Amino acid sequence: MESAALSRIGLAGLAVMGQNLALNIAEKGFPISVYNRTTSKVDETLDRAAAEGNLPVSGQYSPRDFVLSIQRPRSLIILVKAGAPVDQTIDAFSEYMEPGDCIIDGGNEWYQNTERRISEAEQKGLLYLGMGVSGGEEGARNGPSLMPGGSFQAYNNIKDILGKVAAQVEDGPCVTYIGEGGSGNFVKMVHNGIEYGDMQLISEAYDVLKNVGGLSNEELAEIFTEWNRGELESFLVEITSDIFRVKDEFGDGELVDKILDKTGMKGTGKWTVQQAAELSVAAPTIAASLDCRYLSGLKDERENAAKVLREAGLREEIGSASNGIDKKRLVDDVRQALYASKICSYAQGMNLLRAKSLEKSWGLNFGELARIWKGGCIIRAVFLDRIKKAYQRNPDLASLVVDPDFAKEMVQRQAAWRRVVGLAVAAGISTPGMCASLAYFDTYRRARLPANLVQAQRDLFGAHTYERTDRPGAYHTEWTKLANARKSQ
């Protein structure tokens, strides 16, 4: 085959994300070969390419033909289910690949699997990238946020493609070289953990406004639209306003009220919380959002608990809570509480990234991560530009909470934040995300905590020793012996 007839890049795995990303690449002027084990998906992609502007897409029907249809050094993106299917796909293609060729895994993969594959690829002379892709179906087609980590040479080979394909914001394309090893996958994992927190906090704002404020879906749609014009402007707030407007096609009212209250998940939120625990990084907002997804799955148990506790005499406060409420003030208070809670959630995510970066010597650029999340991805928000600037001012910032600008905003909003949490608690409405964020803020801002008592307890029952505030060294005290002597006096 003549070089001129070869594709610039290949993509295997033509489910929703793969198809849309392939068409995005082709639309930006890069001829692309596509492959899928189920051949009908190849035909479907070719039909879409023709219908969407005769895009330069070449369909291939065998691993060998797919690999050989791509210019050297070859770059192959694979978008298949994480785990064993990735290994099987790599095995199928690597048989026909040559030293210097590259595999790019665009799935939500566990970062250690990527590090193993980098090592295995090196033994064959191949390059490897683990690339987080965020933005869902729409992002993949029109411009996602891309988080490639692994071989820098592999990144340079396709840098021009990624720069055109990624979402574009005022300060550049939403892609950057993340770092070595599995850093791209790890950053995408934490991005998803932050996304869990964001969605949970928005759902709590909705719950309070609906059940404490008594607001209708129509009013909620208007409120979220208004919020999307200010400091809360973001993809998730925007789509939330749209959700409240959709009518139920099978009956009266809005569709949102007919949706079963059980939340699905695919694992990245759990990985984030596990990594936070392993690295001794507090991530209570993200953990609370994960717990809520687990509890939402206990639908039958929750319905039974509601019945049992009602029969035991528990009064239902939801519904009656809106009596005498100043709705305008509540809406403004919830806006402020949501914003302050989000700062804490993002602070937790960034601190987790910092801890992992130090452990693995990745050298992550936190301002640059905030920048590439400004467009294309699910957590894209105007607020991220503020985070980017905070890390530009101080690359060693200990926490977003102590950035001077964010610190001032949190202090200004804390009264409203406490009012919202207090109203929710009084009404029996759970706001675990907002409560976790507030507790994080209140714990982090205190110069002295009751941990002195915990240390004394640990020393009493386990002789774990403690440090003193007034002199150096480790100490152990015979607490029970001294307390008994005191009692007998």
Side-chain angles (χ1 to χ4, degrees), residues 57-365:
V57 178
S58 166
Q60 304 298 328
Y61 297 90
S62 75
R64 181 182 180 279
D65 290 347
F66 173 64
V67 172
L68 297 181
S69 71
I70 302 163
Q71 289 176 22
R72 288 181 290 185
R74 302 179 180 94
S75 296
L76 282 65
I77 299 173
I78 56 176
L79 275 163
V80 299
K81 190 176 179 182
V86 175
D87 291 309
Q88 291 160 9
T89 304
I90 291 169
D91 288 343
F93 296 148
S94 60
E95 183 180 343
Y96 309 104
M97 297 175 75
E98 299 172 70
D101 290 351
C102 174
I103 294 169
I104 303 114
D105 176 15
N108 279 332
E109 186 57 272
W110 175 236
Y111 83 99
Q112 288 180 338
N113 284 343
T114 295
E115 299 197 328
R116 167 178 58 80
R117 290 174 188 139
I118 288 172
S119 177
E120 291 169 353
E122 283 175 352
Q123 292 169 22
K124 299 175 183 176
L126 303 177
L127 309 179
Y128 198 92
L129 282 175
M131 184 171 70
V133 180
S134 179
E137 180 180 353
E138 182 189 343
R141 182 64 184 85
N142 301 308
S145 175
L146 300 171
M147 295 155 253
S151 166
F152 186 62
Q153 179 60 53
Y155 171 71
N156 273 336
N157 288 351
I158 56 168
K159 184 179 178 181
D160 58 333
I161 299 177
L162 300 183
K164 291 279 179 63
V165 165
Q168 307 292 315
V169 291
E170 73 282 353
D171 47 6
C174 292
V175 60
T176 192
Y177 176 68
I178 301 296
E180 296 179 348
S183 59
N185 295 114
F186 195 91
V187 166
K188 175 57 163 55
M189 178 198 77
V190 175
H191 162 286
N192 286 19
I194 292 171
E195 181 185 307
Y196 272 52
D198 251 0
M199 295 172 76
Q200 177 62 31
L201 291 169
I202 290 170
S203 74
E204 291 173 16
Y206 153 65
D207 203 6
V208 171
L209 292 173
K210 179 181 179 181
N211 290 305
V212 175
L215 297 169
S216 67
N217 288 329
E218 188 176 342
E219 290 173 309
L220 288 166
E222 290 304 317
I223 287 163
F224 275 84
T225 298
E226 182 62 32
W227 285 357
N228 199 46
R229 297 189 186 109
E231 64 192 10
L232 289 171
E233 180 188 333
S234 64
F235 172 72
L236 286 169
V237 168
E238 178 186 351
I239 66 168
T240 301
S241 67
D242 291 341
I243 286 167
F244 290 126
R245 288 189 166 90
V246 175
K247 298 290 184 184
D248 179 21
E249 62 179 315
F250 298 114
D252 296 332
E254 286 76 32
L255 177 58
V256 68
D257 294 327
K258 308 293 172 61
I259 296 175
L260 186 67
D261 53 324
K262 284 175 69 171
T263 310
M265 70 193 90
K266 291 190 174 177
T268 46
K270 180 175 76 173
W271 291 346
T272 304
V273 174
Q274 287 172 333
Q275 280 294 295
E278 285 195 18
L279 291 162
S280 300
V281 173
T285 310
I286 299 170
S289 69
L290 183 66
D291 286 341
C292 278
R293 293 198 181 195
Y294 293 148
L295 284 165
S296 77
L298 305 177
K299 177 66 172 174
D300 293 342
E301 288 184 41
R302 289 188 288 111
E303 288 183 338
N304 184 57
K307 179 172 177 282
V308 170
L309 292 167
R310 192 164 50 245
E311 289 170 355
L314 181 70
R315 285 185 58 227
E316 183 64 80
E317 298 293 342
I318 294 176
S320 62
S322 59
N323 296 337
I325 289 287
D326 181 338
K327 289 188 181 183
K328 190 172 181 182
R329 183 183 179 185
L330 178 66
V331 169
D332 192 58
D333 279 356
V334 171
R335 174 185 61 79
Q336 295 186 66
L338 178 55
Y339 185 78
S341 296
K342 276 167 66 76
I343 293 173
C344 288
S345 184
Y346 279 72
Q348 293 159 31
M350 299 309 271
N351 284 355
L352 175 54
L353 288 173
R354 184 180 62 178
K356 197 67 178 182
S357 182
L358 287 170
E359 181 196 70
K360 303 287 286 186
S361 300
W362 283 337
L364 297 182
N365 182 330

